[in-house]
Amino acid sequence: MLFDYETLKWIWWLLVGVLLIGFAIMDGHDIGVCALLPFVGRDDSERRVIVNTIGPHWEGNQVWFITAGGAVFAALPLVYATAFSGFYWALIAALWALFFRPVGFKYRSLIKNDTWRSVWDWLLFAGSVVPALIFGVAFGNLLLGVPFALDQNLLSMYTGTFWQLLTPFALLCGGVSVAMLTMQGGVYLAHRTTDGIHQRAKAAASLAAVLTVLLFVVAGFWVYQLDGYVLVGEIDTNGVIDPLVKQVQIQAGAWLNNYADHPALWTIPLLGVLMPLLTAVLLKFNRTLLAFVTSSVAVLGVIATAGVALFPFYMPSSADPRSSLTVWDSTSSHLTLMIMLYAVVVLLPVVLAYTSWGYAVMRGKVTKAYIKENEHTVY
């Protein structure tokens, strides 16, 4: 075999992170554009311009979301099962909200009626903001600890409720997510549009960038006050799925242990602070393409900050710390991880290639004149 079991566990922890970050960057700017749709577009023509900036790409960007879910299902089956049972109603709410997006894109412009189109504009807004909020709330609950326990057959029992997920800290993390993706969408919209839409998108993206930094910093200080989870005793990094054989302690401020042990890792949250501010500066000078790059790096920094803090935990358990799911005890078999790695090596470059090609072919500004000239083909 090319890699040993421990190395494969490391690799798949990184790959799941890459897929989540890819989803946040690519589908995230679609979400951000729709979050701004009712506010940046002042009339129907402007809103059609906004929708058509992402119209050719949003379906392809959904691949990141589907692939991330599939990767968790195959590589981390116990995490997938526990998360989808514990976060069931939250994930269902996110999926129901996401349903408004494909339907909204297809149906919005089929009828020339102001009320019809306004309703779909707000449904596209809801179908973007609600999932963004819920994804952030989910990350917040991971840092707080999820109330579940495993029995001897490794069946999970969730002891909380949907409403218990909506704690102040979790909602703060949801706010970070919404602000971050709004920034991402606003920058992309500013890059693809002109005139009034361009100016309003720049202003919205700059405001969202500042809010991202403020909320991210507040969340960071809050995490410093939280109890974190630590593995103690002997750890079998080559072990098969069996979370109940380990020992876990809850310690104050433990989520910062990885940063204390490896100071170079502080560069990751630093990206989450500095890159949004640099994005706002670049927008002021109309460097929209470079701003999209820095905004994407900011997204990477924010998500990776949480991932590094949690490592090696995927899902800490507040009900029974020993049941916590970690990198070392909740992954699939060596053979499964190896086969999936071969698939990723082949297919991920294909996804990157056709995504890059699509954006390269359809680059340029979307204007009201373009919408009028291509009435029969555009959204």
Side-chain angles (χ1 to χ4, degrees), residues 90-103:
L91 292 172
I92 285 295
L95 289 173
W96 283 346
L98 284 170
F99 291 160
F100 291 133
R101 287 161 50 79
V103 180

Side-chain angles (χ1 to χ4, degrees), residues 10 52 113 159 192 211 233 260 276 295:
W10 269 100
N52 278 277
N113 178 278
T159 58
R192 293 296 310 280
L211 284 174
S295 176

Side-chain angles (χ1 to χ4, degrees), residues 62-85:
Q62 292 285 99
V63 169
W64 290 96
F65 181 57
I66 297 168
T67 304
V72 174
F73 172 78
L76 312 170
L78 201 53
V79 175
Y80 184 92
T82 305
F84 272 74
S85 60

Side-chain angles (χ1 to χ4, degrees), residues 172-184:
L172 173 62
C173 293
V176 174
S177 176
V178 172
M180 176 180 72
L181 298 186
T182 301
M183 169 188 68
Q184 184 80 347

Side-chain angles (χ1 to χ4, degrees), residues 21 24-25 180-181 183-184 294-304:
I21 291 168
I25 291 173
M180 176 180 72
L181 298 186
M183 169 188 68
Q184 184 80 347
T294 57
S295 176
S296 300
V297 174
V299 171
L300 181 153
V302 170
I303 297 176

